[in-house]
Amino acid sequence: MRYKKSKIPLVLLVLSLSFSSQGQDQLILSREDCETKFLKENLQLLAEELEISQAEAMVLQSKYWPNPNLTIDQVNLWATQGQLDAFDTEGLPAFNSGSSFGTKQQIGVSLEQLIHTAGKRKKLMAIQNISLEKSKEYFRDVLRGLKIEFRNQLTQLQYLQLSKRMYEEELLSVKQLTNAYLRQVELGHISKGEYVRLKALELEITQKTNAVKTEINQVQKELNVLMRLSANTDLVITDAGFIKDTDGFKLRSIPDLIVEAKENRPDYKIASLQETSSLIELEYEKAQRIPDVTFKVDYDRGGNFMYNFVGFGLSFDLPVFDRNKGNILHATSEIEQSQLRSQELELTLENEVAAAYKDLINAIAFFESIDADYDVSLEIMLKNYTQNFKEKNISIVEYLDFMEAYLTNKIIILEASKDVNEKAEKLNYSIGKDLINK
């Protein structure tokens, strides 16, 4: 029996060491440190950067001329006497004097070089250069989308951490009251009804705390992927940066912000580049009406009335049936399509900036409507209510009503700050640059 009892503390010790080792994986970072790691380690950004390298490679490839084509044919490996007698000849002159090698060998050699006409090569180079610029803007657009997702996740984690801290502090206070009331119930000094109501409050706060912990786990999972952290990392964000400084922003106007958005938004630049690319592609398709030319140099030994024949020539397609009309019409349609899409994107951009600005102004107005010392006043009132409840100066109903109002208002304050933060990031996203990042 003694041996069996001794196993329980051993198991508890092992579990304690296990939890302790998990605590060693905690990583405490500021928002700035998190963003630095995100920009350096995010796998999607690293993969998207390779798209730029690929586009640069295609620009390089477009600069090269087509390779010349060398053909060696009509080489006979033997010649019968009958073949030679048919032409009444003993053979051809040898390749070298004093040797018979080559007297019975015929050979033909042809060298060809394709020449692109009508500036096709330069047009293709221009198209590839635009593709490179589009790749760079695509990368910036991916970064823009990942940034707002990442920063909102940071804000969410800070909000949840602050909520968890608040619930845990109140849970500790309520547990002390619950334990004290339980002792009073056991002594018969108070009715069990008051204890049950306090216990119900304790369970309610415990449930909310557990729900917040679950949400923290989900947010940490997303941030671990975005920052390339191991699954065992317990990421904790410091409180700094949860409240943004937006004082300097209030002087901005919607027209000015729209101008900045058109200068900075990568999707708007991509639309403009697409228009330019469509115009060049139309010129390229028109140039395709002019056929390319292939220049030739031929050498023939023994296959002509001359022993060593050298001839020159050229070849090109005759544009009789195919004048590339279909591709030209297609390129013309693409120009009109890209222009319409640019107009739609411009209208969307203007409305997104205006809406984001108005949303941020509303969020700031609500946040600033909360007195700066209101949070402190709530803490003081909570302390007073708790003390008065302990001293029986107020009823349990009054105490529970205040606790409900206290928790609700604390969450409202945190959500107001969180809303300002998220609306500011939405405005940054709609403009395409970090107008507000502190």
Side-chain angles (χ1 to χ4, degrees):
M1 291 295 292
R2 289 180 182 177
Y3 176 74
K4 290 182 179 179
K5 288 182 179 179
S6 66
K7 289 177 67 176
I8 297 175
L10 179 61
V11 172
L12 293 175
L13 176 61
V14 172
L15 289 174
S16 175
L17 290 173
S18 175
F19 287 124
S20 175
S21 65
Q22 289 178 3
Q24 292 176 359
D25 292 330
Q26 187 179 75
L27 180 62
I28 302 175
L29 296 174
S30 65
R31 290 179 70 103
E32 291 78 11
D33 293 336
C34 287
E35 185 149 333
T36 299
K37 188 167 183 62
F38 158 73
L39 293 174
K40 182 180 178 181
E41 299 290 345
N42 184 265
L43 292 173
Q44 187 173 349
L45 288 178
L46 293 175
E48 197 65 31
E49 270 189 308
L50 294 177
E51 294 284 345
I52 299 176
S53 300
Q54 292 170 8
E56 288 173 343
M58 295 308 297
V59 170
L60 178 64
Q61 183 63 36
S62 68
K63 296 178 180 180
Y64 296 124
W65 285 89
N67 288 325
N69 177 264
L70 176 66
T71 303
I72 300 175
D73 59 3
Q74 301 182 34
V75 179
N76 64 304
L77 300 179
W78 64 84
T80 65
Q81 190 60 43
Q83 289 174 320
L84 296 175
D85 292 343
F87 289 94
D88 192 22
T89 177
E90 293 297 324
L92 301 171
F95 285 116
N96 295 313
S97 60
S99 171
S100 63
F101 179 71
T103 58
K104 299 178 181 180
Q105 271 74 41
Q106 177 180 321
I107 187 171
V109 179
S110 174
L111 183 65
E112 300 180 359
Q113 176 63 56
L114 175 66
I115 303 297
H116 292 300
T117 60
K120 295 189 188 77
R121 179 168 160 270
K122 289 184 178 180
K123 291 178 176 65
L124 284 173
M125 288 171 60
I127 290 172
Q128 292 300 333
N129 277 312
I130 290 176
S131 295
L132 173 59
E133 293 303 313
K134 285 167 67 175
S135 295
K136 292 177 180 179
E137 295 302 328
Y138 277 127
F139 174 77
R140 291 185 59 238
D141 200 38
V142 170
L143 176 59
R144 181 174 73 114
L146 284 175
K147 267 188 175 181
I148 188 172
E149 177 188 352
F150 175 72
R151 290 174 177 176
N152 284 343
Q153 292 285 10
L154 290 180
T155 300
Q156 180 69 5
L157 183 55
Q158 286 179 310
Y159 165 77
L160 292 171
Q161 287 174 175
L162 291 168
S163 300
K164 175 174 168 284
R165 190 183 309 162
M166 176 196 69
Y167 283 129
E168 287 178 341
E169 289 173 355
E170 299 319 308
L171 184 59
L172 179 61
S173 176
V174 171
K175 276 186 175 182
Q176 290 174 350
L177 286 174
T178 305
N179 292 333
Y181 261 64
L182 179 59
R183 289 193 294 270
Q184 294 297 315
V185 170
E186 291 172 348
L187 294 172
H189 296 162
I190 60 174
S191 66
K192 195 173 181 179
E194 292 187 352
Y195 164 75
V196 170
R197 299 193 70 173
L198 272 178
K199 190 64 179 178
L201 176 62
E202 177 188 326
L203 291 175
E204 183 182 348
I205 297 176
T206 302
Q207 184 186 46
K208 290 180 178 178
T209 304
N210 289 337
V212 168
K213 288 179 180 178
T214 300
E215 290 186 62
I216 287 175
N217 291 337
Q218 288 298 114
V219 175
Q220 285 178 332
K221 179 198 71 175
E222 298 296 333
L223 287 172
N224 285 351
V225 173
L226 289 170
M227 295 169 63
R228 204 178 178 183
L229 299 174
S230 68
N232 292 327
T233 303
D234 180 22
L235 181 63
V236 177
I237 310 298
T238 59
D239 296 343
F242 182 64
I243 300 176
K244 284 189 178 291
D245 181 11
T246 56
D247 289 339
F249 170 75
K250 297 174 186 177
L251 301 176
R252 308 302 293 267
S253 65
I254 291 179
D256 290 341
L257 294 174
I258 289 174
V259 171
E260 285 195 61
K262 290 180 179 180
E263 292 173 353
N264 291 282
R265 276 196 37 174
D267 56 342
Y268 188 75
K269 291 183 178 181
I270 290 171
S272 177
L273 287 169
Q274 184 58 46
E275 279 193 68
T276 305
S277 178
S278 298
L279 289 170
I280 297 175
E281 286 177 3
L282 175 60
E283 293 302 315
Y284 175 76
E285 295 300 342
K286 287 181 177 179
Q288 289 286 75
R289 294 179 300 185
I290 301 174
D292 295 332
V293 177
T294 301
F295 289 96
K296 298 181 179 182
V297 177
D298 293 311
Y299 166 75
D300 185 89
R301 184 178 188 273
N304 202 296
F305 70 94
M306 297 182 185
Y307 284 135
N308 294 300
F309 173 80
V310 177
F312 300 90
L314 58 84
S315 66
F316 53 87
D317 294 334
L318 294 176
V320 176
F321 304 110
D322 183 4
R323 296 283 293 171
N324 208 37
K325 290 181 180 179
N327 288 330
I328 291 172
L329 288 173
H330 182 271
T332 303
S333 177
E334 279 194 345
I335 292 175
E336 296 175 2
Q337 187 181 55
S338 63
Q339 289 173 343
L340 290 172
R341 286 177 175 170
S342 290
Q343 293 172 15
E344 180 190 18
L345 182 59
E346 183 176 11
L347 186 61
T348 301
L349 178 149
E350 292 172 353
N351 281 278
E352 284 181 354
V353 171
Y357 174 82
K358 293 173 184 177
D359 289 344
L360 178 58
I361 291 298
N362 290 337
I364 292 173
F366 177 70
F367 179 75
E368 292 182 345
S369 70
I370 303 172
D371 293 337
D373 59 349
Y374 183 61
D375 192 28
V376 177
S377 299
L378 282 174
E379 296 298 332
I380 294 173
M381 290 181 66
L382 175 63
K383 185 177 179 181
N384 292 338
Y385 264 79
T386 303
Q387 187 62 35
N388 284 321
F389 180 61
K390 288 179 180 178
E391 296 174 357
K392 302 292 186 178
N393 294 328
I394 59 174
S395 67
I396 189 170
V397 174
E398 291 177 290
Y399 178 71
L400 293 177
D401 286 344
F402 174 76
M403 280 297 296
E404 182 181 357
Y406 168 83
L407 294 173
T408 301
N409 278 266
K410 289 286 285 188
I411 290 297
I412 287 174
I413 293 171
L414 290 176
E415 287 182 346
S417 182
K418 173 190 169 188
D419 194 42
V420 170
N421 204 316
E422 291 177 344
K423 293 300 189 294
E425 288 303 334
K426 185 178 178 182
L427 182 63
N428 286 341
Y429 177 81
S430 67
I431 294 174
K433 76 171 189 177
D434 292 341
L435 190 68
I436 304 171
N437 195 27
K438 292 184 180 179

